Amino acid sequence: MTTIITFADIEVLDRGGAVRTWPLITSETSRGENELATGISIYPVGAGAPLHSHNCDEQVLILEGEGFVEVHEGGKDVASGVLRKDLVKDDTAYVKAGTFHRYQNTGETPMRILWIYPQAYVTRTFGDTGVTVEHLTAEDAMGGR
């Protein structure tokens, strides 16, 4: 089944911490016919995602703004395996499933990202609590963590 979405018609999700998300291709928008999940999130100045991992690989493309990605290759508590890379418009990051990581806006304008997951069902496991939640649910909050 083909899915065509008009951006203006997407219901914006408040992710907490003033982070907003526009789900693009999800099980809901494609009536369960999707084999990937995509969306756009905007992080205000100074905002970021908490340290987390996913049950699948992830690609993030910076559409606007600047920030960094921090990847914990050796696990969330192993300092020696931490890679931090500054990112600007058109830079991308690919993070393997189960790898703890986070993104942070360090610029003077909002950071807009496109995220892509190669499967329909996505979870997030928070590094600070170990709690796993379904992606884009109310429990999958960016702020207040």
Side-chain angles (χ1 to χ4, degrees):
M1 178 185 92
T2 300
T3 300
I4 299 173
I5 299 170
T6 304
F7 193 78
D9 294 334
I10 299 172
E11 182 179 339
V12 181
L13 302 178
D14 177 358
R15 305 292 301 288
V19 174
R20 296 174 295 147
T21 293
W22 288 258
L24 298 176
I25 303 303
T26 65
S27 294
E28 184 176 315
T29 62
S30 68
R31 294 180 208 88
E33 297 289 325
N34 60 313
E35 294 184 17
L36 58 84
T38 66
I40 292 175
S41 294
I42 296 181
Y43 294 86
V45 173
L51 188 66
H52 65 280
S53 66
H54 298 286
N55 62 319
C56 59
D57 295 355
E58 173 189 64
Q59 180 186 1
V60 166
L61 173 69
I62 306 297
L63 299 173
E64 295 175 352
E66 59 189 78
F68 68 78
V69 61
E70 181 181 291
V71 181
H72 292 236
E73 295 282 351
K76 66 178 181 164
D77 297 321
V78 179
S80 63
V82 176
L83 168 67
R84 180 178 161 157
K85 179 71 175 167
D86 291 331
L87 302 171
V88 296
K89 183 182 183 310
D90 297 330
D91 288 346
T92 193
Y94 176 74
V95 179
K96 294 293 290 175
T99 303
F100 281 91
H101 62 285
R102 70 186 188 99
Y103 294 89
Q104 180 79 35
N105 180 349
T106 58
E108 297 180 10
T109 61
M111 182 175 73
R112 186 175 190 219
I113 67 169
L114 169 69
W115 43 264
I116 303 166
Y117 301 106
Q119 65 186 47
Y121 181 73
V122 180
T123 64
R124 181 187 313 268
T125 300
F126 292 103
D128 60 348
T129 63
V131 172
T132 299
V133 299
E134 186 174 348
H135 188 243
L136 300 182
T137 60
E139 296 79 22
D140 185 26
M142 296 289 118
R145 298 204 65 82

